[in-house]
Amino acid sequence: MNSNDQNANNGSYDIGLLFPVLFLVGIGIVMVYSASSAVALQRFGSDYLFLEKQAKFALVGLIGLVVCRNFPYRWYRLLTYPLLALSLVFLIAIQFTDYGFTAGGAARWLRFGGLSFQPSEFARLALVIFLAYSLDKKGDRLKEFKIGFVPHVIVLAVFVFCIIGQPDYGTVVILAALTWLMMFVGGVRCLHLFGTLLLLFLPVAYWLLTSSQYRMSRITGFLNPWQYPAGEGYQIIHSLMAFGTGGLWGAGIGQGYQKLFYLPEPHTDFIFSIIGEEFGLMGVLVIIMLYAWILLKGIRIARNAPDTFGSLVAIGLTAAMGMQICVNMGVTLGLLPTKGLTLPFLSYGGTSLLLNMASVGILLNIGAARRA
């Protein structure tokens, strides 16, 4: 173990990053209970069900954060391909084994006994580590189309092929954007990135969008939700109503109405709407500032990382988190079509919480390392 690894494992924690994350997790536990109690009572006979589960998820996530904080980030180089292979096995298992199950019209989960998790969340972490390793390893040869561009797009295409059949278009968009961003930061030629984007991927995306009535209905509901108040526009309308009802200071914790069987999935995809209704504009701004601070800390860690691999891992994890935050908030505010993505640290869900807290642990480990 070199001196940088020793510095990274000296037991110290960056409170400037750790505190806002734990604060958001705490808010998330409270808001999961507030948003889910009525639904949990009706469906399962216990209004504390999702609260208890989220608290357990948070504990497991905290353990994952501590483990990743003390696991030298350079060792992920050795785990790059095992993690990549494992994530693909999980994604394939959803479609071709009895362990995969469907919820809400999407086959996105694996279940082992009483435990379930979402492999696409794990795939995102595996993809970040692979891209960081590959981009760092190729070095000056990244300018070559066959070396710097094609292999990374092939790996992305395999992930997209596995995920798009679930379907999970939100994750597909994030993985694609994340791959392009990391290749750009890593040094792949802009001509390869933007030329291929304009000539190939945008036309394919347009075809995928227009070839499905389901996807087109999502777009029409997004563009004019008030024309389809009982259909495609239902979620957006009630989400906007929640924000409007909240006003400046909110209706008060536990006093929101949209969670009372009006807004679907108030404790997962639309928990930000419930926060807006119960804490108002001021509460929403506090949440946004906390997220902004976390992302800025992640960017700073990437800039000050001891090596290129650490820098790319940090920028990838930060960007993935930032994209998920922006997409979720954009959906709840009616700025983007509905995607089915959770809000990091706040939404109910064990896989999302565990992987995001593990990502913070990795960032803490990279940030603790010092240039030799």
Side-chain angles (χ1 to χ4, degrees):
M1 183 180 294
N2 61 32
S3 60
N4 287 333
D5 287 334
Q6 290 175 348
N7 286 332
N9 290 286
N10 60 14
S12 63
Y13 285 79
D14 183 351
I15 300 301
L17 175 58
L18 183 62
F19 176 77
V21 169
L22 296 182
F23 188 70
L24 283 173
V25 172
I27 294 175
I29 293 173
V30 173
M31 290 310 301
V32 163
Y33 173 68
S34 177
S36 69
S37 57
V39 175
L41 184 62
Q42 184 197 53
R43 293 181 184 175
F44 306 102
S46 172
D47 55 343
Y48 291 100
L49 178 68
F50 292 112
L51 169 65
E52 294 172 353
K53 286 187 175 182
Q54 188 72 357
K56 293 177 182 177
F57 294 154
L59 179 59
V60 174
L62 183 60
I63 294 172
L65 185 152
V66 172
V67 170
C68 290
R69 162 60 185 84
N70 292 283
F71 186 86
Y73 73 88
R74 291 180 179 85
W75 292 7
Y76 287 108
R77 296 174 188 267
L78 303 176
L79 298 175
T80 297
Y81 291 106
L83 289 175
L84 202 65
L86 186 61
S87 63
L88 289 173
V89 168
F90 286 153
L91 290 171
I92 293 171
I94 294 177
Q95 305 294 335
F96 298 103
T97 71
D98 294 334
Y99 294 107
F101 73 97
T102 300
R108 302 177 184 175
W109 289 268
L110 286 176
R111 175 176 288 165
F112 299 97
L115 300 176
S116 62
F117 73 101
Q118 193 171 354
S120 60
E121 295 278 356
F122 181 73
R124 186 177 60 193
L125 175 62
L127 181 62
V128 167
I129 292 174
F130 163 75
L131 289 171
Y133 171 78
S134 181
L135 291 167
D136 178 38
K137 182 180 179 181
K138 290 178 170 61
D140 294 336
R141 301 197 67 188
L142 287 173
K143 300 298 182 182
E144 301 176 31
F145 184 74
K146 293 182 179 180
I147 302 297
F149 182 81
V150 173
H152 307 121
V153 174
I154 289 176
V155 172
L156 171 65
V158 173
F159 276 115
V160 168
F161 179 78
C162 293
I163 295 173
I164 204 168
Q166 297 180 3
D168 188 356
Y169 300 105
T171 298
V172 167
V173 170
I174 286 182
L175 292 184
L178 183 61
T179 300
W180 249 249
L181 175 64
M182 290 189 66
M183 286 195 294
F184 175 76
V185 174
V188 175
R189 291 186 65 185
C190 291
L191 177 62
H192 298 159
L193 292 173
F194 297 107
T196 310
L197 184 67
L198 292 173
L199 297 177
L200 178 61
F201 287 98
L202 289 182
V204 170
Y206 177 79
W207 175 80
L208 287 173
L209 179 65
T210 57
S211 63
S212 168
Q213 183 60 39
Y214 169 76
R215 290 189 286 272
M216 284 302 299
S217 66
R218 286 286 189 96
I219 297 298
T220 55
F222 157 68
L223 294 175
N224 192 1
W226 305 101
Q227 187 176 346
Y228 309 95
E232 292 84 359
Y234 181 84
Q235 289 178 309
I236 297 176
I237 289 173
H238 283 275
S239 179
L240 294 176
M241 289 174 64
F243 285 109
T245 303
L248 184 61
W249 297 104
I253 187 169
Q255 302 302 310
Y257 286 98
Q258 292 302 320
K259 63 189 179 184
L260 302 177
F261 313 105
Y262 294 104
L263 186 61
E265 307 301 331
H267 56 301
T268 55
D269 302 350
F270 286 90
I271 197 167
F272 191 56
S273 307
I274 305 303
I275 292 173
E277 184 177 20
E278 299 190 353
F279 288 95
L281 176 62
M282 300 307 296
V284 165
L285 291 177
V286 168
I287 297 298
I288 292 175
M289 286 189 291
L290 287 171
Y291 278 131
W293 180 260
I294 292 170
L295 297 179
L296 287 173
K297 291 290 291 186
I299 293 171
R300 183 177 181 181
I301 289 171
R303 291 182 60 186
N304 296 328
D307 52 36
T308 302
F309 175 71
S311 180
L312 288 170
V313 170
I315 199 65
L317 295 177
T318 302
M321 194 180 302
M323 290 175 187
Q324 188 172 352
I325 292 167
C326 291
V327 170
N328 180 278
M329 289 185 175
V331 168
T332 60
L333 291 168
L335 302 176
L336 293 172
T338 52
K339 293 294 182 184
L341 292 175
T342 57
L343 189 58
F345 311 119
L346 291 175
S347 292
Y348 172 80
T351 309
S352 175
L353 186 57
L354 173 60
L355 267 297
N356 278 302
M357 293 187 75
S359 297
V360 171
I362 297 173
L363 288 174
L364 288 169
N365 185 267
I366 297 172
R370 295 291 182 267
R371 294 184 183 275

